[in-house]
Amino acid sequence: MIELRNVSKWFGDFQVLNDCSTKVAKGEVVVVCGPSGSGKSTLIKCVNGLEPFQKGSIEVDGTSVGAKDTNLPELRSHIGMVFQNFELFPHIKVIGNITLAQLKVLQRDEKQAGEKAHALLERVGLLDQADKYPAQLSGGQQQRVAIARALAMDPIAMLFDEPTSALDPEMINEVLDVMVELANDGMTMMVVTHEMGFARKVADRVIFMDEGRIEEDCTKDDFFGTPRGARAQVFLSKILQH
Amino acid sequence: MLGNFDWKVVTDNIPFLWQGMQITLLLTVIAILGGIFLGTLLALSRLSGFKPLSFVAGTYVNFFRSMPLILVIFWFYFLVPLLLGRPVGGFYSVLIAFVLFEAAYYCEIIRAGIQSVREGQVHSGQALGFTYAQNMRYIVLPQAFRNMIPILLTQAIILFQDTSLVYVVGVKDFLVSADLIANRENRVLEMFTIAAAVYFVLCLSGSLFIKRLQRNYVQ
């Protein structure tokens, strides 16, 4: 489904991604973790072409992301993405946030788009918030709307970029619950997160990144059992201490 | 001193002054709308990754911002008929001059407005599959213009005052109308005092309105 081959990326002289290769199969849930600045957010943004990369190749569902002749908007419309800061459109109501791309990108009619939006709002437990503006919602609610907005496009895979990092602790679970449900429904997911509880529960594989390199890429059991690299062990011992 | 003022000359000429005010307002409104439209295109060009386009737009903006408005008005008054090969009248030549001149200033306001929209919003629109044009139209520009409303209105008030410069080519706006009456009736002091009062009241109300708008925005 998603395949990265030897991806490298530089910001000026600074190399943020160094020869990264991995695969995400259909229906697989892959968690990407690592210390801040390790390049994990940059990596996931390369997958749908939000960040350009200079070397290597990325294929999503057989389409090359980096190729000049690729219709990126077309490709992105099939890949859902959820951001750390939610990024709902503040000038549009919740319902409009979920219907806009359905109408303008997928050319669905008002009725279809509205029905889809309502069904998804119900699924994330926010049907009663449809006519509010994003700023009137809590962070957890906004992130659930953002997930609904991405799902409305019927994506073939979902990318999550630290979806719970900007949330107050008491709101993290309501978002993780939606994500767990999604994983259990068989969605292909690539998730950048520090939530190791989530990784233990639903991840098939865990990727550990450090200084722009993929240091570990193994099954969940291997990762939490005996990670092979010293850096991953240090990282785990730090975040699992409490 | 004010006791010697003959206010009758003002009241008698209200219809004539109103005609002049209509020209002033028409000029202001068209210059704002035209300036914002052209300014938006210029701003998008300046921000474009396509270097020749951003260079041309940048040159345009820098050129007009380095010219005195009064010179531009004069210049177009003589240039436009020459280019078209026929006289177009003062009104149309100043209209073109104002739109082209204001566009340079609006461009810089709008460019700052577009840059005030967070990158995350742009990414979020892109991730949903919006094209560049769709992302601008539905996501970026609506937010940019909301952020810009106070400064766009402030620019509109400045523009409203600047339209009085059409005096130099004799377009019969509010000030020129007042001037014509002043000379005809030999009542210079009355007419210029009332003209000043009208500009003052309109511009001050505009400024107060913007202040209130900004306060409501902050809340």
Side-chain angles (χ1 to χ4, degrees):
Chain A
M1 176 70 73
I2 301 172
E3 185 167 1
L4 292 81
R5 278 190 225 103
N6 311 102
V7 174
S8 291
K9 176 180 171 66
W10 287 263
F11 284 129
D13 286 339
F14 178 69
Q15 187 163 11
V16 271
L17 294 178
N18 192 343
D19 206 24
C20 296
S21 300
T22 190
K23 273 186 192 177
V24 182
K26 191 169 188 301
E28 211 176 12
V29 177
V30 174
V31 162
V32 183
C33 62
S36 61
S38 59
K40 45 195 195 312
S41 282
T42 308
L43 184 76
I44 203 168
K45 282 180 182 152
C46 285
V47 172
N48 64 353
L50 288 182
E51 291 279 0
F53 50 92
Q54 285 83 31
K55 270 175 95 174
S57 68
I58 298 178
E59 270 190 20
V60 178
D61 201 29
T63 307
S64 168
V65 176
K68 279 255 180 292
D69 57 349
T70 297
N71 183 345
L72 271 181
E74 217 290 305
L75 179 65
R76 286 174 186 142
S77 69
H78 305 300
I79 311 170
M81 184 157 200
V82 174
F83 297 85
Q84 181 173 0
N85 293 312
F86 329 133
E87 303 299 352
L88 294 178
F89 306 130
H91 57 299
I92 305 173
K93 285 178 180 173
V94 164
I95 184 78
N97 262 277
I98 305 177
T99 54
L100 185 63
Q102 293 189 67
L103 297 170
K104 304 299 175 189
V105 177
L106 300 182
Q107 317 290 342
R108 289 182 181 151
D109 61 38
E110 292 272 356
K111 187 164 166 286
Q112 264 182 311
E115 279 169 5
K116 183 97 191 168
H118 282 110
L120 283 164
L121 278 175
E122 187 162 23
R123 179 164 166 190
V124 299
L126 292 170
L127 196 51
D128 50 340
Q129 311 290 329
D131 289 319
K132 288 190 178 168
Y133 282 94
Q136 295 170 285
L137 270 54
S138 74
Q141 290 173 323
Q142 288 189 48
Q143 195 61 300
R144 284 187 280 155
V145 172
I147 294 172
R149 179 177 70 175
L151 291 175
M153 305 297 283
D154 293 320
I156 53 170
M158 287 280 287
L159 308 173
F160 293 83
D161 183 14
E162 303 206 31
T164 57
S165 298
L167 293 174
D168 291 332
E170 76 269 22
M171 293 172 185
I172 290 176
N173 279 333
E174 63 188 67
V175 172
L176 289 180
D177 287 346
V178 172
M179 291 169 61
V180 167
E181 200 183 303
L182 207 53
N184 291 337
D185 286 352
M187 176 61 79
T188 307
M189 293 163 72
M190 195 166 170
V191 186
V192 173
T193 186
H194 291 135
E195 296 294 334
M196 288 303 126
F198 172 80
R200 275 181 202 275
K201 203 185 273 177
V202 296
D204 296 301
R205 283 194 0 259
V206 178
I207 290 173
F208 173 77
M209 289 186 71
D210 193 37
E211 294 179 353
R213 284 179 182 281
I214 291 181
E215 296 281 346
E216 305 281 343
D217 184 351
C218 51
T219 65
K220 162 179 66 176
D221 295 332
D222 281 350
F223 186 76
F224 290 112
T226 47
R228 284 152 285 185
R231 287 173 188 278
Q233 279 180 22
V234 172
F235 175 75
L236 273 181
S237 70
K238 273 182 186 157
I239 65 167
L240 294 179
Q241 223 163 32
H242 301 289
Chain B
M1 187 189 91
L2 284 173
N4 296 331
F5 270 38
D6 174 15
W7 294 114
K8 200 167 168 306
V9 67
V10 176
T11 48
D12 281 353
N13 286 295
I14 283 179
F16 190 69
L17 287 171
W18 172 236
Q19 269 182 6
M21 183 50 85
Q22 283 176 315
I23 294 291
T24 295
L25 292 175
L26 190 65
L27 201 53
T28 307
V29 169
I30 297 179
I32 291 172
L33 296 179
I36 289 179
F37 178 74
L38 192 56
T40 306
L41 295 183
L42 282 168
L44 292 175
S45 305
R46 279 205 89 169
L47 293 170
S48 153
F50 184 57
K51 285 275 179 300
L53 193 60
S54 67
F55 176 78
V56 169
T59 308
Y60 177 97
V61 169
N62 286 327
F63 176 78
F64 275 101
R65 299 217 310 169
S66 311
M67 287 289 142
L69 176 54
I70 200 161
L71 176 67
V72 175
I73 291 170
F74 250 136
W75 196 31
F76 274 84
Y77 185 68
F78 295 112
L79 187 71
V80 172
L82 212 63
L83 284 177
L84 293 179
R86 62 185 172 88
V88 289
F91 182 74
Y92 289 103
S93 83
V94 296
L95 198 60
I96 293 169
F98 268 103
V99 168
L100 294 182
F101 186 83
E102 287 303 315
Y105 284 85
Y106 277 119
C107 166
E108 293 305 274
I109 295 173
I110 294 163
R111 185 165 70 121
I114 290 172
Q115 284 174 324
S116 76
V117 177
R118 285 181 305 116
E119 196 190 23
Q121 286 286 309
V122 179
H123 276 171
S124 162
Q126 287 176 331
L128 283 167
F130 287 128
T131 61
Y132 171 81
Q134 287 175 324
N135 218 14
M136 274 295 159
R137 175 164 167 212
Y138 299 115
I139 310 304
V140 179
L141 288 179
Q143 294 186 59
F145 274 101
R146 267 156 83 111
N147 298 342
M148 286 184 294
I149 285 174
I151 184 149
L152 286 177
L153 290 175
T154 305
Q155 181 68 22
I157 291 176
I158 297 171
L159 173 58
F160 174 70
Q161 295 165 359
D162 283 352
T163 56
S164 61
L165 290 175
V166 300
Y167 186 91
V168 295
V169 294
V171 171
K172 263 205 260 172
D173 76 331
F174 179 68
L175 184 61
V176 169
S177 303
D179 181 52
L180 286 174
I181 301 165
N183 287 314
R184 193 178 63 208
E185 314 269 344
N186 203 14
R187 288 289 174 190
V188 174
L189 208 55
E190 282 89 341
M191 289 318 295
F192 282 141
T193 307
I194 199 72
V198 168
Y199 277 109
F200 176 77
V201 168
L202 288 177
C203 291
L204 185 70
S205 335
S207 301
L208 292 176
F209 173 72
I210 295 169
K211 262 204 184 120
R212 230 184 72 184
L213 206 68
Q214 273 175 316
R215 242 198 338 265
N216 292 343
Y217 251 60
V218 173
Q219 281 167 0

